Amino acid sequence: NNKSNEIQENDFIACARNLPEGNSSKFCFEILKENKNLRINNNISETIKKTTDLLIKKYGSLQEIAKKMKVSRDTLYAIRNEKFYHGIKLKEFEWICNEAGYSEKEIAENVKQVFLSYGKNIKLPEKLDNENLAYLAGLLLGDGSVQVNAKQASIRFFSADQKLLDCFDELIKKEFGIKTEKINDGIRVPTRRLSSLIIFALMKEFGLSSSKK
């Protein structure tokens, strides 16, 4: 180890990088709820039926509840039915749950899988206080890049260490249920790539930004 009096100008010093603490007690759905297009993929029709049945006492009818939700009566009937459920918007589900007095934890327990585009489902961890999410963020903060536009966030992780690449792949699969794209042309540093505004929104809570690299 170098002593401080041996350090010369232009020497490189390796040091640990601390992740921003943020509010790790947040539920992941809270971070995403402002996205008006985000829908819940896992079938929660039973919870929706139970919740809207409770709200009939407050609003008088399902028709009135649908008006408050700003959806058609047919849409509300469909998402209450297990057979016809097609994905309720997260903001709509949060609204009916809040109106019925549900806790944030009860809401989070229902939000298992989400999507912005049909067929592109993302598994959603319940809480941000998650060692795997923190580790993924650390990898990306150290050796990652993000390019963002209104429709997508292209996330890349670069490493010559196969163990780190494998770890990145495994954690993305475990936490979000998707596979990364593997890029290795033998010339540039091996890369893992994925596209997800949802994952980027969660990683932002740890300090990742599109200005990184």
Side-chain angles (χ1 to χ4, degrees):
N1 294 332
N2 290 332
K3 296 179 180 179
S4 60
N5 61 4
E6 295 175 347
I7 298 173
Q8 303 295 316
E9 185 177 358
N10 296 323
D11 281 351
F12 289 96
I13 308 298
C15 60
R17 179 171 184 170
N18 292 325
L19 291 173
E21 291 185 7
N23 185 357
S24 61
S25 64
K26 278 185 179 179
F27 291 101
C28 288
F29 87 87
E30 294 180 89
I31 297 160
L32 304 172
K33 66 182 181 180
E34 295 309 315
N35 191 316
K36 297 177 181 179
N37 298 314
L38 192 69
R39 292 179 180 270
I40 303 170
N41 183 63
N42 53 294
N43 195 320
I44 52 172
S45 55
E46 184 178 343
T47 301
I48 295 170
K49 185 179 186 306
K50 175 183 175 183
T51 306
T52 50
D53 282 348
L54 287 173
L55 292 182
I56 289 175
K57 297 177 182 178
K58 181 175 183 179
Y59 291 107
S61 68
L62 289 176
Q63 176 71 29
E64 286 303 311
I65 296 170
K67 286 181 181 179
K68 291 291 184 180
M69 293 173 65
K70 298 180 180 179
V71 301
S72 69
R73 185 185 65 176
D74 288 346
T75 295
L76 180 54
Y77 273 85
I79 58 179
R80 283 166 48 95
N81 187 309
E82 182 178 1
K83 183 178 178 180
F84 299 110
Y85 178 83
H86 56 272
I88 185 175
K89 287 185 176 180
L90 176 58
K91 285 188 71 68
E92 294 167 357
F93 182 65
E94 186 198 24
W95 182 83
I96 63 172
C97 287
N98 285 339
E99 289 294 296
Y102 286 17
S103 68
E104 290 173 339
K105 180 172 176 56
E106 287 173 311
I107 298 173
E109 288 172 346
N110 279 277
V111 186
K112 303 292 187 183
Q113 194 178 60
V114 296
F115 66 90
L116 286 169
S117 300
Y118 283 97
K120 296 183 178 180
N121 303 316
I122 298 286
K123 179 183 172 185
L124 191 67
E126 185 173 311
K127 296 193 73 175
L128 195 64
D129 185 11
N130 177 318
E131 289 183 0
N132 288 340
L133 295 186
Y135 191 76
L136 280 170
L139 292 177
L140 290 169
L141 282 164
D143 293 293
S145 72
V146 185
Q147 292 181 323
V148 183
N149 60 39
K151 294 185 178 180
Q152 68 176 0
S154 180
I155 303 169
R156 298 184 185 221
F157 172 62
F158 311 90
S159 181
D161 187 330
Q162 188 61 45
K163 288 183 179 179
L164 286 181
L165 292 171
D166 291 344
C167 180
F168 186 81
D169 291 340
E170 290 168 7
L171 292 181
I172 289 292
K173 180 66 175 176
K174 179 177 181 180
E175 296 301 326
F176 301 110
I178 63 173
K179 293 181 180 180
T180 64
E181 179 185 355
K182 299 174 175 62
I183 304 172
N184 188 357
D185 58 14
I187 300 173
R188 292 166 292 186
V189 177
T191 303
R192 296 294 185 263
R193 181 169 64 190
L194 58 106
S195 180
S196 175
L197 285 168
I198 295 168
I199 295 175
F200 176 57
L202 298 179
M203 293 293 100
K204 279 175 67 177
E205 294 293 309
F206 294 94
L208 187 67
S209 72
S210 57
S211 62
K212 174 67 180 145
K213 288 192 178 178

Short mmCIF file of all heavy atoms in Angstrom, two decimals, residues 165 168-169 172-173 178-182 192-194:
data_model
loop_
_atom_site.label_atom_id
_atom_site.label_comp_id
_atom_site.label_asym_id
_atom_site.label_seq_id
_atom_site.Cartn_x
_atom_site.Cartn_y
_atom_site.Cartn_z
N LEU A 165 -20.10 -10.46 -15.61
CA LEU A 165 -21.11 -10.53 -16.66
C LEU A 165 -22.18 -11.56 -16.31
O LEU A 165 -23.39 -11.30 -16.45
CB LEU A 165 -20.47 -10.89 -18.00
CG LEU A 165 -19.54 -9.84 -18.63
CD1 LEU A 165 -18.81 -10.44 -19.82
CD2 LEU A 165 -20.32 -8.60 -19.05
N PHE A 168 -24.34 -10.26 -13.49
CA PHE A 168 -25.28 -9.26 -14.00
C PHE A 168 -26.47 -9.95 -14.66
O PHE A 168 -27.63 -9.62 -14.39
CB PHE A 168 -24.57 -8.34 -14.99
CG PHE A 168 -25.40 -7.19 -15.47
CD1 PHE A 168 -25.55 -6.05 -14.70
CD2 PHE A 168 -26.04 -7.25 -16.70
CE1 PHE A 168 -26.32 -4.98 -15.14
CE2 PHE A 168 -26.82 -6.19 -17.16
CZ PHE A 168 -26.95 -5.05 -16.38
N ASP A 169 -26.18 -10.94 -15.51
CA ASP A 169 -27.24 -11.70 -16.19
C ASP A 169 -28.18 -12.35 -15.18
O ASP A 169 -29.42 -12.29 -15.32
CB ASP A 169 -26.64 -12.80 -17.07
CG ASP A 169 -25.88 -12.24 -18.27
OD1 ASP A 169 -26.12 -11.09 -18.65
OD2 ASP A 169 -25.04 -12.99 -18.82
N ILE A 172 -30.39 -9.76 -13.18
CA ILE A 172 -31.45 -9.20 -14.03
C ILE A 172 -32.58 -10.22 -14.21
O ILE A 172 -33.76 -9.90 -14.11
CB ILE A 172 -30.89 -8.78 -15.40
CG1 ILE A 172 -29.99 -7.54 -15.25
CG2 ILE A 172 -32.03 -8.50 -16.39
CD1 ILE A 172 -30.71 -6.27 -14.86
N LYS A 173 -32.19 -11.47 -14.44
CA LYS A 173 -33.19 -12.54 -14.60
C LYS A 173 -33.96 -12.78 -13.31
O LYS A 173 -35.19 -12.92 -13.31
CB LYS A 173 -32.49 -13.83 -15.04
CG LYS A 173 -33.41 -15.02 -15.24
CD LYS A 173 -34.36 -14.81 -16.40
CE LYS A 173 -35.19 -16.04 -16.66
NZ LYS A 173 -36.19 -15.82 -17.74
N ILE A 178 -36.22 -11.08 -16.98
CA ILE A 178 -35.89 -10.93 -18.39
C ILE A 178 -34.44 -11.32 -18.64
O ILE A 178 -33.63 -11.40 -17.71
CB ILE A 178 -36.13 -9.49 -18.90
CG1 ILE A 178 -35.20 -8.50 -18.16
CG2 ILE A 178 -37.59 -9.10 -18.74
CD1 ILE A 178 -35.25 -7.10 -18.73
N LYS A 179 -34.10 -11.55 -19.90
CA LYS A 179 -32.74 -11.89 -20.29
C LYS A 179 -32.05 -10.68 -20.89
O LYS A 179 -32.68 -9.86 -21.54
CB LYS A 179 -32.74 -13.04 -21.30
CG LYS A 179 -33.23 -14.37 -20.75
CD LYS A 179 -33.17 -15.45 -21.82
CE LYS A 179 -33.65 -16.78 -21.29
NZ LYS A 179 -33.60 -17.85 -22.34
N THR A 180 -30.75 -10.59 -20.68
CA THR A 180 -29.97 -9.52 -21.30
C THR A 180 -29.54 -9.95 -22.70
O THR A 180 -29.51 -11.13 -23.03
CB THR A 180 -28.71 -9.21 -20.48
OG1 THR A 180 -27.86 -10.36 -20.48
CG2 THR A 180 -29.06 -8.84 -19.04
N GLU A 181 -29.20 -8.97 -23.51
CA GLU A 181 -28.60 -9.24 -24.81
C GLU A 181 -27.09 -9.28 -24.64
O GLU A 181 -26.50 -8.36 -24.08
CB GLU A 181 -28.97 -8.14 -25.81
CG GLU A 181 -28.37 -8.34 -27.18
CD GLU A 181 -28.64 -7.18 -28.13
OE1 GLU A 181 -29.39 -6.26 -27.74
OE2 GLU A 181 -28.10 -7.19 -29.25
N LYS A 182 -26.46 -10.36 -25.10
CA LYS A 182 -25.02 -10.54 -24.93
C LYS A 182 -24.30 -10.06 -26.19
O LYS A 182 -24.59 -10.53 -27.29
CB LYS A 182 -24.70 -12.00 -24.65
CG LYS A 182 -25.34 -12.53 -23.36
CD LYS A 182 -25.11 -14.02 -23.20
CE LYS A 182 -25.64 -14.53 -21.87
NZ LYS A 182 -27.11 -14.34 -21.74
N ARG A 192 -23.31 -6.33 -21.89
CA ARG A 192 -24.67 -6.81 -21.70
C ARG A 192 -25.59 -5.61 -21.92
O ARG A 192 -25.34 -4.52 -21.43
CB ARG A 192 -24.88 -7.38 -20.30
CG ARG A 192 -24.05 -8.62 -20.03
CD ARG A 192 -24.49 -9.77 -20.92
NE ARG A 192 -23.80 -11.01 -20.62
CZ ARG A 192 -22.74 -11.46 -21.29
NH1 ARG A 192 -22.23 -10.74 -22.28
NH2 ARG A 192 -22.19 -12.61 -20.97
N ARG A 193 -26.68 -5.85 -22.67
CA ARG A 193 -27.59 -4.75 -22.99
C ARG A 193 -29.02 -5.16 -22.72
O ARG A 193 -29.42 -6.31 -22.95
CB ARG A 193 -27.42 -4.34 -24.44
CG ARG A 193 -28.34 -3.16 -24.86
CD ARG A 193 -27.95 -2.63 -26.22
NE ARG A 193 -28.14 -3.63 -27.28
CZ ARG A 193 -27.70 -3.48 -28.52
NH1 ARG A 193 -27.01 -2.40 -28.86
NH2 ARG A 193 -27.92 -4.44 -29.42
N LEU A 194 -29.82 -4.21 -22.24
CA LEU A 194 -31.25 -4.42 -22.07
C LEU A 194 -31.93 -3.07 -22.24
O LEU A 194 -31.30 -2.02 -22.11
CB LEU A 194 -31.57 -5.03 -20.70
CG LEU A 194 -31.12 -4.25 -19.47
CD1 LEU A 194 -32.32 -3.60 -18.79
CD2 LEU A 194 -30.39 -5.15 -18.49
#
